[in-house]
């Protein structure tokens, strides 16, 4: 999943972005509101985490621009304004969730995860495709009784394909959602990642769950 | 509860009632007087008729009155009565009256012997004998006619008294009817007035009701509302203007408080969040903990410490818990020492600095507080002046007043920002992104200036130059008292 994080505090920006990456997200960060608005329009993020009070264009203004452009990107607001009126205002202005400072890091990660699930129509943290079972909160994968050990990037890739199970996911989409702007994705990175993931799934008994549609992309589906 | 409408209505109705009663009463009295006068005139005519019918001859008074033409004196009509007396003077000077004649209507009754001279007769009310009806009488003393060639009579002239009385029942009935009509009319008028007055008052008082209604709808959430000034009566205009002025100030104060609460929340909660996230991240991923993260944590803690210390100092200054300890200092030397702390930062930012003032000026002030006040002004100028721009520091003592001013370019400031400069946590940058300043410096400077018995003023010129001036009267009594034993500000 790819997250856009807009925050002007250098300390928070670095620490929270690091925590999100360690949790398997691809994260793009910016300290300026207008840049954040443009990124949100240009890139296919799954969730945006916005500090309300950022220079240039505040968090509410960023969401206003997205909604006017028809962008339905889920938004989690972060702010020190704790009054009920401020929270209601934030949600009425297009936010999907609102977290007041100071917040627990675990809570932030859980709320981002919940927004990602909702983005793909999932209501439960458990994702089951055939014998594959993903726990999106614990970031674990089981194949029948076998527990799979995946790197954060591999898990992120499998989770993304699982959220879109049955759909053809192009390489471009995988690049956009799994890799942040810190990386320089090249075409064989995705191929290699798919290849490694397939081999781990095969070893666990989930052979053929990821199929290639030549020229189109990849599909994760239940093996008949 | 008092009500203007009820008060006006009561007053108007009371006054109107008094007017109606007084008017009706006056009218009744005037009509009564006129009718009575007319009645008395009739009585006088009748009395004169009897007077002219009376004659005297050799000490004997007689009347030859015929009721043929004045049938009212007849016993079968009996609405008018008369009685005639002769006055006889005794040798001892006493006057004795004897009845010489009566009208047929009087029969054997007597009328009261009340009289006056012919040019000033006496009138009076009575109960008529025979009929026992209310009547009115006139009494006249006169000298009956006599033959002037009769010397005996001329030498022994006698006087007579005639009293004529008339039935006034009809007059009384008329007066009662008039009184009744006036009373009924007055009641009707008052009744109509009681209905009409409220209806007349209502439209007149409507603007007052509307203002009251609008006032009742205004609360903390609707302070942007204003009272109409253009369409209200002239009497309400100054009230509405004043209310609008108060609302504006209240709105500004509420906005200021809200802004302060938001800014305070940001300044305190953001570093707390940073600390929490850093710590939780270190716990969750121990490999991230290390010297760099510890240094970052320390920086955040130091920043919070500075903010909290400033807040506490400000609170102490505002509650006069800080006491100034005045001592003689050289103003130029002190300003120079303070500037020395900021000189290198000014150099880094390539500021064109000018320091100007008398080199030797001995003044009495608290050097510690003075340093905090002037130091904050200098820090602001050095940090916010654009790179390569001029900064001027001037000091002087004029007419027992110390004045230190710091001027720098502040092109991003607007005139409406100037009153906010001394608000706690106010910063031009609404996002509060730059973490070096929390927005307490100028508030603290202003608070401590007051402790010194002075003040800090801000002036934004049209050229974009901001001048912050600290003034303190040399002989000013410090606000916190100068006992020499108070808490020092560090």
């Amino acid at each position: 999943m790819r997250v856009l994080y807009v925050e002007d505090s250098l300390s928070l920006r670095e620490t929270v972005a690091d925590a999100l990456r360690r949790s398997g997200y691809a994260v793009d960060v910016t300290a300026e509101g207008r840049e954040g608005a443009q990124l949100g329009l240009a890139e296919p993020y799954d969730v945006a985490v916005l500090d309300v009070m950022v220079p240039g264009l505040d968090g509410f203004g960023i969401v206003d621009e997205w909604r006017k452009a028809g962008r339905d990107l889920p938004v989690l607001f972060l702010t020190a304004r704790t009054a009920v009126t401020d929270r209601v205002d934030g949600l009425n202005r297009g936010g999907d969730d609102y977290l007041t400072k100071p917040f627990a890091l675990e809570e932030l990660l859980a709320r981002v995860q919940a927004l990602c699930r909702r983005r793909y129509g999932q209501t439960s943290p458990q994702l089951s495709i055939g014998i594959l079972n993903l726990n999106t909160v614990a970031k674990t994968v089981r194949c029948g009784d076998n527990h799979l050990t995946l790197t954060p990037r591999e898990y992120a890739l499998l989770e993304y394909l699982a959220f879109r199970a049955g759909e053809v996911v192009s390489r471009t989409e995988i690049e956009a959602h799994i890799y942040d702007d810190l990386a320089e994705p090249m075409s064989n990175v995705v191929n290699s990642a798919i290849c490694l993931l397939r081999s781990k799934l095969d070893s666990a008994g989930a052979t053929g769950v990821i199929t290639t549609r030549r020229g189109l992309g990849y599909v994760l589906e239940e093996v008949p | 509860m008092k009500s203007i409408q009820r008060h006006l209505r009561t007053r108007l109705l009371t006054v109107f009632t008094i007017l109606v009663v007084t008017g009706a009463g006056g009218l009744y009295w005037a009509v009564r007087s006129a009718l009575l006068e007319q009645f008395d005139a009739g009585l006088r005519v009748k009395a004169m008729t009897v007077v002219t019918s009376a004659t005297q001859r050799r000490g004997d008074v007689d009347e030859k009155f015929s009721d043929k033409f004045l049938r009212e004196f007849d016993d079968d009509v009996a609405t008018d009565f008369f009685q005639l007396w002769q006055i006889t003077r005794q040798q001892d000077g006493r006057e004795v009256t004897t009845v010489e004649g009566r009208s047929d209507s009087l029969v054997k009754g007597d009328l009261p012997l009340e009289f006056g001279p012919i040019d000033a007769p006496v009138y009076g009310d009575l109960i008529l004998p025979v009929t026992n009806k209310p009547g009115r009488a006139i009494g006249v003393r006169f000298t009956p006619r006599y033959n002037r060639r009769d010397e005996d009579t001329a030498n022994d002239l006698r006087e007579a008294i005639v009293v004529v009385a008339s039935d006034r029942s009809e007059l009384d009935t008329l007066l009662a009817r008039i009184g009744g009509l006036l009373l009924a009319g007055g009641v009707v008028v008052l009744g109509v007035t009681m209905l009409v007055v409220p209806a007349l008052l209502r439209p007149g008082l409507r603007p007052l009701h509307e203002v009251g209604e609008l006032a009742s709808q205004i609360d903390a959430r609707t302070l942007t509302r204003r009272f109409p000034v253009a369409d209200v009566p002239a009497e309400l205009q100054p009230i509405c203007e004043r209310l609008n002025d108060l609302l504006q100030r209240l709105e500004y104060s509420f906005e200021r408080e809200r802004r302060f609460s938001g800014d305070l929340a940001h300044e305190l909660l953001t570093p707390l969040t940073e600390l929490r996230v850093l710590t939780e991240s270190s716990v969750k991923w121990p490999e991230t903990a290390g010297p760099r993260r510890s240094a970052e944590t320390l920086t955040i803690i130091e920043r919070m410490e500075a903010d909290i210390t400033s807040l506490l100092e400000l609170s102490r200054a505002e509650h006069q818990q800080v006491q100034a300890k005045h001592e003689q200092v050289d103003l130029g030397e002190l300003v120079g020492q303070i500037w020395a702390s900021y000189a290198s930062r000014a150099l880094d930012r390539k500021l064109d600095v000018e320091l100007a003032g008398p080199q030797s000026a001995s003044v009495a002030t608290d050097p510690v507080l003075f340093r905090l006040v002037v130091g904050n002004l200098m820090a602001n100028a050095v940090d916010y002046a654009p790179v390569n721009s001029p900064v001027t520091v001037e000091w002087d003592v004029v007419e027992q007043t110390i004045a230190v001013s710091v001027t720098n370019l502040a092109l991003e400031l607007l005139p409406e920002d100037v009153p906010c400069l001394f608000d706690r946590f106010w910063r031009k940058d609404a996002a509060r992104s730059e973490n070096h300043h929390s927005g307490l410096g100028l508030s603290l400077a202003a608070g401590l200036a007051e402790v010194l018995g002075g003040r800090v003023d801000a002036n934004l010129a049209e050229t974009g130059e901001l001048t912050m001036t600290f003034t303190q009267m040399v002989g000013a009594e410090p606000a916190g008292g100068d006992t020499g034993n108070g808490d020092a500000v560090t």
Side-chain angles (χ1 to χ4, degrees):
Chain A
M1 299 294 122
R2 194 169 175 194
V3 176
L4 173 63
Y5 181 35
V6 183
E7 170 64 67
D8 61 329
S9 160
L10 177 62
S11 176
L12 276 177
R13 201 163 62 239
E14 288 183 346
T15 316
V16 170
D18 182 61
L20 285 167
R21 288 189 183 108
R22 286 174 183 275
S23 301
Y25 297 97
V27 185
D28 294 338
V29 296
T30 177
E32 207 274 338
R34 292 213 180 277
E35 189 182 337
Q38 282 159 12
L39 280 170
L41 290 171
E43 302 291 336
Y45 296 105
D46 296 294
V47 172
V49 179
L50 306 180
D51 181 24
V52 171
M53 288 173 76
V54 286
L57 185 65
D58 69 10
F60 296 146
I62 296 172
V63 173
D64 282 344
E65 286 206 7
W66 288 347
R67 299 305 182 236
K68 272 185 216 165
R71 194 86 169 85
D72 63 349
L73 175 59
V75 170
L76 168 63
F77 282 125
L78 300 179
T79 182
R81 291 180 186 266
T82 57
V84 171
T85 48
D86 292 317
R87 283 183 269 154
V88 168
D89 194 33
L91 293 169
N92 285 340
R93 297 271 302 259
D96 296 274
D97 204 353
Y98 197 100
L99 197 53
T100 55
K101 295 177 181 176
F103 51 80
L105 191 56
E106 287 291 347
E107 186 177 358
L108 171 69
L109 295 173
R111 285 176 188 260
V112 168
Q113 180 61 36
L115 286 175
C116 285
R117 273 203 309 274
R118 283 213 300 269
R119 178 116 172 102
Y120 293 99
Q122 296 293 328
T123 53
S124 164
Q126 300 285 345
L127 264 178
S128 295
I129 300 103
I131 59 170
L132 265 184
N133 188 280
L134 280 78
N135 185 321
T136 58
V137 174
K139 309 284 185 198
T140 56
V141 183
R142 298 192 72 81
C143 187
D145 293 327
N146 298 324
H147 174 80
L148 262 73
T149 304
L150 301 174
T151 65
R153 190 82 75 184
E154 287 166 354
Y155 173 82
L157 175 56
L158 180 61
E159 186 188 65
Y160 183 58
L161 291 173
F163 272 138
R164 297 187 60 184
E167 294 177 34
V168 176
V169 182
S170 70
R171 189 163 44 232
T172 310
E173 283 174 309
I174 293 172
E175 284 169 3
H177 285 269
I178 304 303
Y179 297 92
D180 54 35
D181 65 355
L182 293 177
E184 287 290 333
M186 296 169 69
S187 59
N188 62 338
V189 169
V190 173
N191 290 348
S192 302
I194 292 288
C195 191
L196 277 170
L197 185 59
R198 268 179 175 148
S199 91
K200 287 189 179 180
L201 287 169
D202 288 347
S203 303
T207 308
V209 292
I210 299 177
T211 55
T212 304
R213 299 289 168 84
R214 201 161 288 284
L216 293 173
Y218 305 95
V219 180
L220 187 149
E221 56 195 348
E222 189 175 339
V223 176
Chain B
M1 193 189 297
K2 283 187 185 176
S3 160
I4 293 177
Q5 186 163 347
R6 203 177 313 135
H7 181 77
L8 277 174
R9 193 167 58 223
T10 308
R11 283 287 182 106
L12 280 170
L13 288 174
T14 305
V15 167
F16 205 75
T17 303
I18 292 171
L19 283 173
V20 166
V21 167
T22 309
L27 183 63
Y28 175 79
W29 198 255
V31 167
R32 183 177 178 278
S33 297
L35 288 174
L36 219 51
E37 205 174 301
Q38 195 177 34
F39 193 85
D40 288 349
L43 275 178
R44 189 181 173 83
V45 165
K46 291 167 190 172
M48 289 300 108
T49 305
V50 177
V51 162
T52 52
S53 72
T55 56
Q56 63 174 313
R57 187 171 180 269
R58 291 182 184 165
D60 216 8
V61 174
D62 194 16
E63 53 85 15
K64 289 182 174 54
F65 182 83
S66 169
D67 55 15
K68 206 183 287 186
F69 299 103
L70 289 172
R71 298 263 315 131
E72 293 82 358
F73 286 100
D74 203 353
D75 54 355
D76 56 349
V77 177
T79 56
D80 289 335
F81 308 83
F82 79 83
Q83 191 171 1
L84 180 70
W85 294 264
Q86 178 177 336
I87 301 172
T88 307
R89 194 177 296 277
Q90 302 291 314
Q91 284 185 346
D92 57 0
R94 276 186 308 118
E95 287 184 346
V96 172
T97 55
T98 49
V99 178
E100 292 298 334
R102 290 185 172 83
S103 61
D104 291 343
S105 56
L106 194 56
V107 191
K108 289 187 180 164
D110 287 309
L111 294 174
L113 189 60
E114 290 170 13
F115 56 91
I118 202 161
D119 56 350
V122 166
Y123 297 89
D125 293 320
L126 73 160
I127 299 295
L128 296 168
V130 179
T131 62
N132 289 314
K133 286 184 179 178
R136 188 164 173 83
I138 180 172
V140 177
R141 178 175 173 146
F142 67 100
T143 305
R145 289 183 301 118
Y146 64 95
N147 189 345
R148 293 186 190 279
R149 284 193 285 245
D150 184 351
E151 287 183 8
D152 291 334
T153 304
N155 292 331
D156 184 22
L157 281 177
R158 301 298 168 92
E159 283 188 305
I161 297 165
V162 65
V163 174
V164 173
S166 286
D167 185 339
R168 60 175 287 168
S169 317
E170 281 185 15
L171 174 65
D172 288 348
T173 304
L174 180 61
L175 285 173
R177 197 175 298 147
I178 290 170
L181 278 172
L182 284 173
L183 182 66
V187 167
V188 166
V189 166
L190 283 175
V192 168
T193 304
M194 286 180 83
L195 293 171
V196 166
V197 162
L200 288 175
L201 285 177
R202 218 170 287 124
L205 292 175
R206 189 173 298 124
L208 200 57
H209 285 303
E210 286 170 354
V211 168
E213 184 65 34
L214 185 55
S216 69
Q217 292 168 1
I218 294 176
D219 59 19
R221 290 162 295 178
T222 54
L223 289 173
T224 50
R225 286 205 191 171
R226 294 292 180 265
F227 292 90
V229 174
D231 298 327
V232 295
E235 293 83 359
L236 288 179
Q237 256 182 3
I239 296 172
C240 289
E241 284 170 359
R242 191 81 177 120
L243 285 172
N244 285 342
D245 178 48
L246 289 170
L247 276 174
Q248 189 148 352
R249 282 196 261 161
L250 204 57
E251 185 189 353
Y252 176 72
S253 295
F254 265 74
E255 182 54 38
R256 210 171 139 197
E257 278 305 309
R258 217 168 57 86
R259 193 174 55 229
F260 169 66
S261 300
D263 293 343
L264 177 67
H266 188 278
E267 286 303 316
L268 293 182
L269 295 178
T270 298
L272 266 180
T273 307
E274 290 167 355
L275 287 173
R276 181 169 186 164
V277 165
L278 276 169
T279 309
E280 285 182 351
S281 176
S282 298
V283 168
K284 194 173 169 73
W285 297 287
E287 66 275 16
T288 62
R292 184 176 163 271
R293 191 155 276 191
S294 300
E296 202 176 334
T297 303
L298 186 60
T299 304
I300 296 167
I301 290 170
E302 285 171 346
R303 203 171 75 230
M304 280 189 78
E305 181 191 348
D307 285 346
I308 290 169
T309 304
S310 294
L311 269 176
L312 287 172
E313 290 299 342
L314 189 54
S315 176
R316 286 176 60 207
E318 285 172 349
H319 288 91
Q320 299 183 345
Q321 293 169 356
V322 174
Q323 291 181 340
K325 294 180 192 172
H326 281 201
E327 57 188 73
Q328 288 299 123
V329 297
D330 184 288
L331 183 61
E333 198 179 306
L334 182 57
V335 172
Q337 285 170 0
I338 300 168
W339 174 251
S341 308
Y342 304 98
S344 65
R345 210 189 304 176
L347 197 63
D348 290 344
R349 303 195 72 235
K350 300 182 175 60
L351 299 176
D352 180 17
V353 180
E354 183 188 342
L355 302 174
Q359 288 307 308
S360 183
S362 181
V363 295
T365 187
D366 181 319
V368 174
L369 295 183
F370 188 95
R371 185 181 294 270
L372 283 168
V373 174
V374 175
N376 262 303
L377 303 186
M378 289 177 176
N380 244 47
V382 166
D383 287 338
Y384 287 112
V387 172
N388 283 323
S389 67
V391 170
T392 308
V393 179
E394 294 168 299
W395 65 92
D396 203 353
V397 181
V398 177
E399 293 177 359
Q400 301 293 308
T401 301
I402 301 169
V404 179
S405 63
V406 181
T407 304
N408 62 280
L409 265 182
L411 297 171
E412 72 286 358
L413 276 186
L414 300 168
E416 54 264 32
D417 293 333
V418 175
C420 302
L421 287 173
F422 301 103
D423 289 352
R424 284 170 282 179
F425 288 118
W426 186 85
R427 287 169 61 185
K428 179 65 182 175
D429 171 22
R432 317 182 69 81
S433 51
E434 189 266 300
N435 289 328
H436 195 56
H437 286 270
S438 61
L440 283 175
L442 289 179
S443 309
L444 190 57
L448 293 176
E450 279 189 30
V451 174
L452 282 169
R455 56 182 291 145
V456 178
D457 295 294
N459 181 57
L460 182 68
E462 285 182 8
T463 53
E465 282 188 328
L466 175 67
T467 301
M468 306 293 289
T469 306
F470 164 61
T471 50
Q472 178 205 331
M473 285 193 67
V474 174
E477 193 59 36
D482 187 4
T483 64
N485 293 325
D487 293 338
V489 175
T490 56

